[in-house]
Amino acid sequence: MNGSDAVPNPVAGPVAGPVAEIRGLVKEHGQGQGRVRAVDDVDLEVPRGQTLAVMGPSGCGKSTLLHLLGGLERPTRGEVWLAGRRVDTLSERALARLRRRSVGFVFQAFHLMEELTAAENVELPVLLAGRSPREARRRASLLLERVGLAARARHLPSRLSGGQRQRVAIARALANEPPIVLADEPTGNLDTAATLDVLRIFEDLRTAGQTLVIVTHDERVAATADRLVSMRDGMFVDDTRLTGSSSRGLGGLIEWES
Amino acid sequence: MGSFVLVVRLVLADVRRHRAQAAMLLLAVTVATATMALGLSLRGVSEALYEQTRAATAGPDVVALSGDTGPAVTSALASLADDPEVIAHHGPYRIVYADLTTHGSGRSPAVASGVVVHGFAETPGTVNRPLVTSGGWVRPGGAVVERGFAEALGIGVGDRVTIAGRSYLVVGIAVTAATSIYPWAAQIGPYGGPSDSSGLVWLTRSDARTLAGRDLPVTTAMDLKLRDPAAAEAFVEAFSDAHRDPAARVNLHTWQFMATQDTVILRNSQPILVVGSWLLGFLAVTGVAALAAGRAVEQTRRAGLLKAVGATPGLIATVLVTEYLALALVGDAVGLAIARLTVPGIASPTASRIGDAAGPGGATVAAATVLAVTVAVLSTLRPALRAMRTATVTALAAAAHQPRHRPLLTALSALLPTPLLLGLRLTARRPGRAVLQACSTATTVIATVALLTVYSQKERGYGLNGSSVLPNLRGELDRRLMLAVTILLIALAVVNTVTLTWTTAMEARANMAVARTLGATPGQIAAGLSAAQVLPALLGAMAGVPLGIGVCGLFSARNTIMPPVSWMLAAALVTLLVTAAFTALPARLAARRPVARALSAEAA
Ligand SMILES: Nc1ncnc2c1ncn2[C@@H]1O[C@H](COP(=O)(O)OP(=O)(O)OP(=O)(O)O)[C@@H](O)[C@H]1O
Ligand SMILES: [Mg+2]
């Protein structure tokens, strides 16, 4: 809408301040009698390198918050900033371009392209970003290696287990090295072993300084974060720093399992 | 570069995943474009063949024919030959009307036919030099048979024929541009009267004179070459104005007139093919649209997914449209190639002409391509727009669209037996699909009525004294083409019915599963799914009969015989029964899917 396609991509240069920021954010669904205020006047800053967990009862607005943050939905009121750039005013096209490079999504339902192989799924955002097919192949094999699926690169999603699919989805989210990764209940459909695989990857990402926002119902997942925000009825009711939690959380968990 | 690779990759992946659908789109477009290209290619093809025969045989610009005899005719023809506009002539020569009988052999029985015998010099002149296609030219006792005639009689060089009781050896086969194609070789009848169907045979002048001596009717003919062939019509008019002698009536036929005569043989072929291609195109849109609609939910999810990873709405539309467009264009190319290969066979049912029928020209290629693109665009427009417009989050969670509630129909159907009840509710769920099924059935019935009409015409064959031993090429061609078009239409309609039933079944599987948990048997479910197609098909079949009569009336001659109404009603009934039979298989397959799987599939 403001023709900001021409603005240099935020990934290109180092950005001071928070990677993501929201101010006075309100999102209402529906109209008239059936109107629901899913997010109710929320402020939030996510500093670079932080792993933020968002918890709360079903229907409290966690997914909506994540969608707003990643530009999948537009707020009713308020501002959303991503990597130093205001995104709530962007056109649909500009938002799509922004998502390519600045946001990686991980969904509970994986949302892989069923007709593409694991590697092709990971290459998807790279090609969308206009990079060469060779570069896309290089990155896909690197990332699949990183999530431990190098051997499954040519498999279709239907031939992968739930945990493997989610790891492909994470590799896809990382394909363009986005400044922020948004995960909506990434372990919601997984059993304990697969959950542990995913948690290990998140732990690696945290160590590597990746900014990460994870919406979850799972205490074990939340325990690996640097910070925990609790939501209720579209509002934040608690914001806690979990110092040194990750080693304790994941380490403890693994011991516990084995 | 990256996004180009991406579009290609996504399109290929989708085609690979939905091979049957791709094949169906390809088939539908191929059939429709081939038929259309064929129909359009026939335009002007007879004239082109005449043109080529005329060039190869030094065809006359004007043929003068007179059934009268005496000095008046001689002087009229002499004045024609002396006309300053005439630069060369051939004749006058005799045309003798006689009967011809073949002797028959193992493979072809003896047949009799009317014949016109042209008495020609043993060395041809400069105008009207028949092109010998096998054997040699006339010699005493040796006859040359016109190729179209020879083919109809089933004879060749070395056979013997009896003309007016005398036996001749066939020494050659030839073609000429100076007469109409077989069986209209006699341009005028005996004594200047109406002509009957007959073939053409050349004999030497003296053999023709001997033949004429047996009291057979004779016409005198002369072939003229004009200085300005294009002005043949004007020449004929000027001559007719100057010579109004009732004792010497001279008919002048221009080469343009003879060329137009040739087109009669293809007169019905073009409408059969062109109207057929419209109907085929319509069925193609119907079938592909049904398939596309059946995949709309999946496509919307796919679009949402692509949007989530950063694809712009434009790119998503490109992917959707490229796939259908690419397939349609491939189908178009295949269709045009098929048309190119079949044109010669259809364009020239007669052997009286030589030359090649040109393949589809620029305009035909353009028209067929427009048809293909229209099929692709019409069938994807709605899903593409929907996929583009749906918000990303909604698209990711996409479920089948919620049909409107129709309380009256629901109340009404509650009084009916279970399968009919399920069928009515399914039909009401998707009224658009019911309309498609009705149209598809109506199209089939229209084609069947047209086929019955073509087949109920009294087909007069050719032979002597009303016998029909010799084939009627035009009638045979019409029947063959109509049969081919109808078979293609029925094939597409069958594919449509199966597609529509399967799509309905897949969409309704959750509801059907719930119905099963409430105690409906698989048989009742299958019958319900069938009923959902057969009910609209019933309306389509009923509408098809009057529509078919209307379409036939639009394109046929006034003396066309319509088939009995009972036949047409029977055709509608058979169409309906066949539709019911073809819905049974997908319906049974769908009804047998385990309930639990259907329920959980919907939840995912
Ligand atoms: N498209 C929509 N239309 C109407 N209401 C919606 C829509 N999406 C979400 N809501 C409502 O907004 C509120 C917040 O929904 P949201 O999906 O963000 O919750 P959530 O915290 O993610 O829940 P869960 O843990 O079950 O995933 C809910 O009351 C929900 O019903
Ligand atoms: Mg949620």
Side-chain angles (χ1 to χ4, degrees), chain B residues 6 57 98 177 184 258 314-315 359 405 421 427 470 505 531 543 564 584:
Chain B
L6 194 62
T57 61
W184 301 299
M258 290 184 279
L315 185 106
H405 184 55
L421 177 147
T427 308
L470 296 181

Side-chain angles (χ1 to χ4, degrees), chain B residues 133-183:
Chain B
T133 56
S134 69
W137 188 234
V138 290
R139 59 171 193 251
V144 173
V145 183
E146 194 275 321
R147 192 167 68 163
F149 189 31
E151 193 134 294
L153 296 170
I155 58 172
V157 173
D159 287 330
R160 295 198 78 86
V161 292
T162 303
I163 300 174
R166 237 200 100 178
S167 176
Y168 296 86
L169 179 69
V170 176
V171 294
I173 306 290
V175 294
T176 177
T179 68
S180 289
I181 54 176
Y182 171 81

